[in-house]
Amino acid sequence: IRQVYKNFVDANPDGTGADVNGNIIVSSTDYWKPTPEQSDGVGDGNTPFCSLSKDGKTGTAYYKKNPDNANKPSMHFCDKVWDRSDLAGLTADNCAALGDHVSTVAWTKNFIGANVLHEFMHYPKIGKAAIGDQIGDVIYDAWQCRLLAVDPDVNRRKRTLVNADT
């Protein structure tokens, strides 16, 4: 964990984070159109990721090469990351409507930050540099991560180390 944060923040002499973060393009365009093989059968190779739905849920963000910026790592955050509520609704009653836990279902204080960190974990210079293995998406959300960490199958439990949400 310390190495991940060190890779993410580095010496931070000017307060802007590690230089390595400047190598990533955060695209405003939903550029990834996953095939069925890339998306558990949901994608068709023509529909952008953020428009796909599985079990009534849509995606939140992704870290994938962008053909328009092939030389730089790229990520995109779907509109649902930002379009949760207006400022008045979020701050009413001292932010009482905001949850205390990270959730992809309800807007919480930690939602955007958790998504940014999750996507940066896929960047090899952050996650892989820290643990020596590429970070992927094994399972999502805090409860599922906990279940993975205590799974009786030791080989499945080891996947906790390479899971971006963990």
Side-chain angles (χ1 to χ4, degrees):
I1 291 171
R2 285 181 201 204
Q3 191 59 49
V4 165
Y5 283 120
K6 184 173 188 246
N7 294 347
F8 198 65
V9 178
D10 202 26
N12 202 22
D14 62 0
T16 60
D19 288 342
V20 73
N21 296 337
N23 293 326
I24 296 211
I25 300 292
V26 177
S27 178
S28 60
T29 303
D30 186 5
Y31 58 88
W32 184 41
K33 298 174 181 171
T35 63
E37 297 79 25
Q38 295 171 314
S39 60
D40 242 0
V42 179
D44 58 12
N46 296 308
T47 305
F49 174 80
C50 297
S51 297
L52 298 174
S53 178
K54 181 176 182 178
D55 300 327
K57 296 180 182 179
T58 57
T60 304
Y62 55 88
Y63 173 90
K64 298 284 179 194
K65 288 187 179 181
N66 183 340
D68 295 336
N69 299 302
N71 295 327
K72 289 199 172 214
S74 299
M75 61 180 70
H76 173 73
F77 295 91
C78 302
D79 288 343
K80 81 180 214 178
V81 171
W82 317 110
D83 294 341
R84 295 294 174 150
S85 183
D86 62 18
L87 184 58
L90 291 174
T91 58
D93 299 322
N94 293 322
C95 300
L98 292 177
D100 292 328
H101 304 287
V102 176
S103 170
T104 57
V105 177
W107 176 267
T108 67
K109 297 171 187 149
N110 303 315
F111 185 79
I112 293 174
N115 272 276
V116 171
L117 182 57
H118 172 108
E119 296 309 326
F120 266 96
M121 290 302 299
H122 296 305
Y123 183 30
K125 292 185 178 183
I126 302 292
K128 185 176 183 178
I131 68 165
D133 222 339
Q134 181 60 40
I135 304 294
D137 292 318
V138 177
I139 200 83
Y140 298 98
D141 83 46
W143 179 248
Q144 296 300 319
C145 289
R146 184 200 178 286
L147 293 177
L148 182 64
V150 297
D151 194 299
D153 181 332
V154 70
N155 290 321
R156 182 147 168 80
R157 193 168 58 237
K158 285 180 183 178
R159 296 183 73 201
T160 301
L161 298 174
V162 295
N163 184 43
D165 261 20
T166 307

